[in-house]
Amino acid sequence: MQDIIQLLPDHLANQIAAGEVIQRPSSAVKELLENAIDAGATEIQLILKDAGKELIRVVDNGSGMSPIDARMSFERHATSKIRGIEDLFAIRTMGFRGEALASVAAVAQVELKTRRHDEETGTHLIVEATEVKRQEATACSPGTSIAIKNLFYNVPARRKFLKSNTSEYKHILDEFTRVAMASPEIAFRLYHNNTEQFHLQPEHLKSRIIALLGNKAEKNLVPVTENTELLKINGYIGKPEAATRTRGNQFFFVNNRFIRSPYLHHAVASAFEGLLEKEVFPFYVLFLELDPQRVDVNVHPSKQEVKFDDERMLYAYIHAAATHALARFNIAPSLDFSLSPEIQNLTAISMPVSDAQKEEVRKGLLHHSFSEKGRAHLIDHQNERRNWQQQRSAFFPEMPEPAADNPQKTDIHKETAAAALPFSGHNTFQHHSLLQWGEYLITTVKSGFLLLHQKRALERILYESLSEKIQNGHPVSQQLLFPVAIETSAPDAALLQQALPFLRKTGYDIEPFGQQSFAINGAPAGISSARAQEVLEDIIEQIKHEPSMLKDKEQDRLLKIMARQMAQPKQLSAPEAQALIDELFACAQPQYAPGGKAVFRILSKEQLSGLL
Ligand code: ADP
Ligand code: MG
């Protein structure tokens, strides 16, 4: 019988191997950007044509390559980044498998110009489908410029498989965003079809996030920083308002490498429990830094999946860090001064499997970190109180700071508060005296019980803030993470066009495109992106019935309607409820909703004693 096994011809083997690393233009973009970063570049340009299908060029001012290295860089498993097996466990570079350039060269036409800073001339190299077509000395600036043309030109099946330019470009933007976010100290520029899309200066992480994701991120970022010997975590999580119904703004970086991990995502998401609806994704950008020995990045060709030596510990840690951050900024109710149960229940802490592990844990960094150093799981009540008081005095500037340690001051405080408010400010500091009961909030005040209608309170607050914006001409618009496209009938489109000036004044950022289509890019602050469209449609509906409402003099009625549509009662955390009460009493007319109904009632001691 004839033997049937044959070695694949080289070009086929190369194409198959390339398929693992380069699936689409965005994978090539990622590899090239990472190479530039590994080469120590401080400025990187990405130039694209046709969503990378025609051209992907990356120009960097990094180390550059010698003529021999330039030639070698296209060999499979050729890398300058690891030498021996031990290096594999201490990886600090983005690349290390030596596959990327070999892979792109197998499926595209590649042109490389590179020059080391200490050499006078550079190297010009052309490689097509793995074959070196030309290599010669050339004059060029130090650093590397690499162009990938006509990706998959020799693999028609794959070329056909590419999606529309819009979709491929979106993939590229995703990769660009991740890389640029992880290196805010590097300047980046992105050009697509000769138009500059991004021009990023070296900056701090926060500004980089805003530069990449837009201004709307700014006021919603809550900083996260926790340091232990085991692990450093820093970055930002978004307040609940920044959460979205679609994925895309969840960023984990492990030793500066973007990774996907549904498990660790859950660690953050669960810190938002009770603050977010189900199927809403919190925003976060979190950088984890840990000993490379504890992470295996060599489990997936694209290196977006990694393995940790102790994933559960990491989970607990991240969860605690997120909870801590939310509580410190009065977004979530605080935990007690004790280990949170999920940490206590961790095998690593409560019941190590073996004696050896037990010993490890006892003397180990982890236990120490959690019990002493990081304190991520401990909530600093002192701090929380201070923050809260700052917020409060912002609402009531005439009110002195409560000073429990100074009895004289406390008295002054009580008197002023009693004069300024229908209730004693002091009581309201105690969260336990605040109760949510269906649509009502109940809290104790000096003279009895305060019963407050949540929706009406919200309407009042929103109405006053909208009218203030209209009057002083400073609409506060909140950019939507994903613009909402709406299609209207022709008459509605005309109506909407007419209403645009009014809507802009309230904070809506709406852009017509085409005859009957509009994009909602931003909405008045306080509206959720999900509601932005509904509220808009309601307004159009109202104007349809009464076009005169658009007149300057009558716009007030529209504002009331808008406030009513925007006000959405929900389950509140204690600090949220407290904030609502404070915002209400900062209003000019806290007693009544814009429609005229009472917002709150006080049940006095007298009334109560008549009852009992
Ligand atoms: P890896 O990054 O895994 O080492 P690559 O195929 O991406 O593998 O690159 C191969 C080698 O080529 C790298 O190890 C590096 O030495 C060199 N190289 C690639 N791109 C650049 C660049 N932009 N600047 C300098 N050297 C580069
Ligand atoms: Mg590489």
Side-chain angles (χ1 to χ4, degrees):
M1 229 223 289
Q2 225 189 332
D3 298 327
I4 50 169
I5 298 182
Q6 286 189 0
L7 273 179
L8 283 173
D10 268 359
H11 73 276
L12 214 56
N14 281 334
Q15 283 182 9
I16 291 171
E20 280 197 13
V21 186
I22 309 294
Q23 286 99 26
R24 50 175 13 122
S26 66
S27 0
V29 166
K30 167 177 184 280
E31 295 296 338
L32 298 189
L33 292 177
E34 290 187 349
N35 279 348
I37 287 174
D38 285 345
T42 56
E43 282 171 27
I44 302 176
Q45 286 183 51
L46 169 61
I47 298 151
L48 306 165
K49 291 231 166 89
D50 272 358
K53 292 174 186 171
E54 195 186 316
L55 173 77
I56 300 168
R57 186 195 297 280
V58 170
V59 185
D60 70 54
N61 66 350
S63 65
M65 285 178 263
S66 71
I68 291 186
D69 282 349
R71 176 66 195 80
M72 272 296 280
S73 68
F74 290 100
E75 294 297 327
R76 194 161 293 280
H77 308 305
T79 177
S80 56
K81 299 167 195 174
I82 57 175
R83 308 260 133 153
I85 184 75
E86 48 317 321
D87 296 339
L88 199 50
F89 300 102
I91 287 165
R92 295 252 173 222
T93 50
M94 293 294 126
F96 58 88
R97 294 162 59 108
E99 287 181 315
L101 292 190
S103 296
V104 288
V107 292
Q109 299 157 332
V110 180
E111 184 176 11
L112 172 75
K113 279 188 181 175
T114 184
R115 191 189 122 196
R116 291 174 54 90
H117 291 247
D118 56 1
E119 277 166 22
E120 305 230 311
T121 50
T123 305
H124 184 191
L125 200 72
I126 294 182
V127 187
E128 285 178 12
T130 313
E131 237 179 274
V132 179
K133 295 281 180 188
R134 196 190 322 169
Q135 174 158 15
E136 61 193 12
T138 190
C140 60
S141 27
T144 301
S145 161
I146 180 163
I148 297 178
K149 296 174 189 165
N150 303 316
L151 188 67
F152 300 134
Y153 81 102
N154 56 341
V155 202
R158 297 210 75 146
R159 176 108 190 153
K160 231 169 44 200
F161 196 66
L162 294 178
K163 299 265 163 44
S164 69
N165 281 4
T166 319
S167 152
E168 294 298 344
Y169 183 59
K170 166 89 172 62
H171 283 289
I172 292 179
L173 278 184
D174 286 346
E175 295 295 355
F176 177 80
T177 303
R178 292 162 189 164
V179 171
M181 202 178 274
S183 297
E185 71 288 352
I186 298 178
F188 286 89
R189 286 184 196 215
L190 166 59
Y191 299 86
H192 187 206
N193 294 335
N194 299 320
T195 316
E196 187 179 79
Q197 305 289 338
F198 281 95
H199 186 156
L200 305 170
Q201 308 286 354
E203 56 204 334
H204 289 295
L205 175 61
K206 187 171 181 182
S207 337
R208 181 56 60 93
I209 294 175
I210 293 162
L212 285 166
L213 302 180
N215 285 331
K216 71 258 168 186
E218 185 163 10
K219 62 180 187 322
N220 286 327
L221 296 180
V222 176
V224 179
T225 10
E226 301 288 347
N227 283 330
T228 69
E229 288 163 51
L230 164 76
L231 162 85
K232 288 196 179 116
I233 168 165
N234 78 82
Y236 295 89
I237 52 178
K239 294 181 186 167
E241 302 85 286
T244 45
R245 277 182 195 278
T246 38
R247 271 176 230 272
N249 285 317
Q250 292 73 41
F251 299 90
F252 264 123
F253 298 88
V254 172
N255 294 343
N256 250 33
R257 183 191 304 284
F258 173 81
I259 61 142
R260 293 165 199 280
S261 166
Y263 184 66
L264 297 187
H265 168 76
H266 190 268
V268 182
S270 60
F272 281 84
E273 208 171 282
L275 297 173
L276 289 181
E277 296 165 49
K278 281 216 162 66
E279 277 129 47
V280 170
F281 300 95
F283 168 92
Y284 55 85
V285 178
L286 292 174
F287 289 83
L288 316 181
E289 217 183 297
L290 66 168
D291 186 338
Q293 300 245 23
R294 293 180 169 274
V295 201
D296 187 356
V297 281
N298 196 21
V299 291
H300 194 267
S302 75
K303 306 178 215 100
Q304 284 196 357
E305 279 160 38
V306 298
K307 269 208 192 109
F308 301 101
D309 68 340
D310 190 344
E311 214 176 23
R312 298 183 68 198
M313 177 50 73
L314 222 54
Y315 181 101
Y317 195 86
I318 291 167
H319 176 78
T323 310
H324 188 200
L326 288 173
R328 242 174 0 116
F329 286 82
N330 293 307
I331 294 160
S334 59
L335 296 179
D336 266 339
F337 250 101
S338 60
L339 275 171
S340 73
E342 77 266 37
I343 294 173
Q344 278 169 340
N345 289 338
L346 275 179
T347 330
I349 282 190
S350 62
M351 39 175 188
V353 193
S354 68
D355 277 0
Q357 270 176 309
K358 203 181 283 179
E359 192 46 39
E360 178 88 333
V361 166
R362 204 172 291 134
K363 67 172 197 289
L365 302 168
L366 314 186
H367 191 219
H368 182 66
S369 312
F370 268 113
S371 49
E372 305 275 324
K373 277 216 150 173
R375 302 179 85 93
H377 55 295
L378 301 179
I379 302 308
D380 183 345
H381 281 286
Q382 211 52 40
N383 241 337
E384 194 183 340
R385 213 179 126 92
R386 207 172 316 123
N387 278 345
W388 170 238
Q389 287 169 2
Q390 274 160 11
Q391 281 183 22
R392 193 184 171 77
S393 48
F395 286 125
F396 299 108
E398 75 277 28
M399 229 169 77
E401 288 275 305
D405 50 351
N406 180 338
Q408 216 182 339
K409 264 195 180 170
T410 313
D411 285 345
I412 298 171
H413 160 66
K414 272 187 188 154
E415 278 163 30
T416 333
L421 296 170
F423 52 80
S424 142
H426 221 70
N427 265 334
T428 56
F429 283 139
Q430 289 162 14
H431 296 156
H432 63 255
S433 68
L434 226 166
L435 227 157
Q436 180 162 19
W437 182 53
E439 58 201 85
Y440 295 101
L441 290 174
I442 302 166
T443 185
T444 46
V445 295
K446 207 178 174 193
S447 54
F449 280 116
L450 176 93
L451 190 66
L452 179 139
H453 195 279
Q454 194 194 146
K455 183 168 187 328
R456 291 179 200 163
L458 278 168
E459 278 179 42
R460 165 53 60 187
I461 295 164
L462 289 165
Y463 166 71
E464 290 207 6
S465 100
L466 282 172
S467 17
E468 194 195 357
K469 276 164 214 157
I470 290 241
Q471 268 156 30
N472 66 20
H474 293 302
V476 180
S477 179
Q478 183 176 286
Q479 291 298 299
L480 302 184
L481 285 174
F482 297 97
V484 182
I486 50 171
E487 293 278 342
T488 59
S489 63
D492 281 9
L495 215 61
L496 184 50
Q497 275 290 2
Q498 249 185 309
L500 280 185
F502 163 76
L503 290 166
R504 288 206 179 107
K505 281 193 277 177
T506 68
Y508 264 110
D509 174 358
I510 298 172
E511 210 182 307
F513 66 95
Q515 295 288 308
Q516 284 157 243
S517 311
F518 297 83
I520 313 179
N521 298 318
I527 245 180
S528 68
S529 19
R531 287 281 295 158
Q533 183 177 354
E534 290 173 61
V535 173
L536 182 68
E537 284 166 357
D538 279 338
I539 295 171
I540 300 301
E541 213 43 49
Q542 296 292 339
I543 302 175
K544 217 187 273 183
H545 290 298
E546 244 187 289
S548 65
M549 280 207 281
L550 271 179
K551 286 191 201 138
D552 273 0
K553 272 193 207 142
E554 298 198 51
Q555 282 181 1
D556 195 51
R557 284 168 58 211
L558 269 181
L559 291 184
K560 287 180 181 167
I561 292 166
M562 206 162 153
R564 197 162 66 223
Q565 300 298 351
M566 282 171 71
Q568 275 196 304
K570 58 168 188 167
Q571 190 64 41
L572 298 175
S573 66
E576 281 177 323
Q578 188 65 68
L580 177 82
I581 292 179
D582 279 17
E583 273 181 62
L584 175 70
F585 287 104
C587 285
Q589 289 276 10
Q591 300 91 324
Y592 300 105
K597 289 192 175 148
V599 174
F600 65 89
R601 283 268 145 76
I602 292 178
L603 287 177
S604 67
K605 281 182 188 145
E606 293 73 48
Q607 284 169 308
L608 287 171
S609 64
L611 279 174
L612 282 172

